[in-house]
Amino acid sequence: MSDLPGFKDYFNLTGKVALVTGGPPLPPIQVPPHTNSPGSRGIGLHIATSLLLAGAKTVFITARKTPGVQQAVAQLNALPGIKGKAIGIPASAAETAEIEGLVAKVKEVEPKLDILIANAGATWGGPFEASPDWASKKVVDLNVRGVFNLVRLFTPLLTLAGTRTSPSRVVIVSSVAGSVVSHIGNNGTIMYSISKAAATHLARNLAVELGPRNITTNSLSPGFFPSKLASGLIEILGGESELMKANPRQRLGVPDDVGAAVLFLVGPGGNYVNGIDLTLDGGSSLTRGGMAQVKL
Ligand SMILES: NC(=O)c1ccc[n+]([C@@H]2O[C@H](COP(=O)([O-])OP(=O)(O)OC[C@H]3O[C@@H](n4cnc5c(N)ncnc54)[C@H](OP(=O)(O)O)[C@@H]3O)[C@@H](O)[C@H]2O)c1
């Protein structure tokens, strides 16, 4: 027998303070029959939900549009049985001045931050030569520069929360697009893919930079999860049923997949995990999709 004194609390977030960027799901999308999801979709909302259900005391969520933030806060605070609460703060995670304002508003409510989830992301798809410069700027400003500044400006609050035995946590929501070349041609997402490669490598750099300050940093790389951001590409690729067939697990991601993966990274049980990229795609990035079926 081994002594596992922490076992019962591996995923217990009682008393923790968290912030999730890109929390609100807009617009609500009909839930497909293969999921048991109770409602709206969007990876940030799944994450905020799991943090509250795991006992978090305060979960700040932020996005640009006030109605979306308010809608998400109302949904989260109606979760049955939670002891904590969600607080919404509208802000753009791509604008340094707005991130500074966000830090100030968080400090008005909580003196320190245990968990920072950099989830908000932007994408753009289209042919390579015609890529407008504004689209590249938008993608990099949020997915790379914004995440860099978000973590940088919250580091003082994260440092206050972290201890040697209970480090504070940063999770960067990256993408499998950061490690494979997913989409080229007419619906190419090359700059998105590059930005996610950078986001994943940013997490590794921060793991080494911030580890000695009792802050761990990891990235989470989802495959397809139906959402506003992903739905256009999912349709272009033949719809959810085609993508499900091509996935080794024969389905797309569901909210529970995200909730469980994040709790592993931010819960007490994951406190020695630092600098990893957790792929969450059912194994789909390891395949060649239809190519694997071709009989030579
Ligand atoms: N869904 C997938 O299949 C998938 C796969 C791989 C990776 N990801 C990654 O997962 C993350 C979440 O994606 P999602 O699919 O859940 O997207 P989503 O449903 O479109 O949600 C994106 C969220 O980000 C917010 N947002 C956009 N720009 C922002 C900004 N400048 N500042 C603050 N918030 C901003 C949006 O709200 P506002 O518009 O109100 O700001 C929204 O709440 C992204 O980083 C994405 O790259 C998603």
Side-chain angles (χ1 to χ4, degrees), residues 98-108 150 153-154 157:
E98 294 202 28
I99 299 171
E100 285 166 347
L102 182 63
V103 174
K105 285 192 177 134
V106 166
K107 270 162 83 172
E108 285 170 14
L150 184 82
L153 292 166
F154 271 108
L157 290 195

Side-chain angles (χ1 to χ4, degrees), residues 99-292:
I99 299 171
E100 285 166 347
L102 182 63
V103 174
K105 285 192 177 134
V106 166
K107 270 162 83 172
E108 285 170 14
V109 183
E110 296 285 356
K112 53 190 184 172
L113 186 69
D114 297 288
I115 298 164
L116 174 62
I117 314 281
N119 164 73
T123 189
W124 183 88
F128 176 57
E129 290 93 328
S131 300
D133 199 38
W134 64 258
S136 299
K137 189 170 179 313
K138 177 180 149 183
V139 167
V140 173
D141 275 358
L142 180 58
N143 299 3
V144 185
R145 194 179 57 83
V147 176
F148 179 87
N149 283 325
L150 184 82
V151 181
R152 183 174 68 79
L153 292 166
F154 271 108
T155 290
L157 290 195
L158 290 162
T159 305
L160 282 174
T163 67
R164 193 170 160 76
T165 52
S166 179
S168 51
R169 315 296 169 89
V170 174
V171 176
I172 297 175
V173 179
S174 185
S175 171
V176 289
S179 53
V180 298
V181 178
S182 309
H183 311 294
I184 55 165
N186 281 345
N187 300 298
T189 52
I190 294 178
M191 189 54 85
Y192 176 75
S193 181
I194 301 165
S195 76
K196 290 301 185 177
T200 304
H201 202 49
L202 173 58
R204 296 188 192 104
N205 276 268
L206 294 177
V208 179
E209 171 75 27
L210 301 178
R213 298 185 224 178
N214 297 323
I215 303 168
T216 70
T217 309
N218 295 288
S219 58
L220 176 68
S221 285
F224 274 121
F225 281 73
S227 74
K228 184 185 172 207
L229 181 140
S231 61
L233 198 49
I234 289 174
E235 286 317 307
I236 288 164
L237 295 172
E240 290 188 20
S241 57
E242 286 305 307
L243 293 175
M244 285 160 69
K245 273 190 247 163
N247 187 303
R249 293 292 303 117
Q250 303 283 286
R251 68 172 176 85
L252 303 188
V254 297
D256 270 330
D257 299 326
V258 171
V262 166
L263 288 190
F264 167 66
L265 294 175
V266 306
N271 83 69
Y272 197 53
V273 179
N274 191 26
I276 68 157
D277 178 47
L278 199 166
T279 301
L280 189 62
D281 71 344
S284 95
S285 56
L286 301 173
T287 75
R288 289 283 179 179
M291 290 298 284

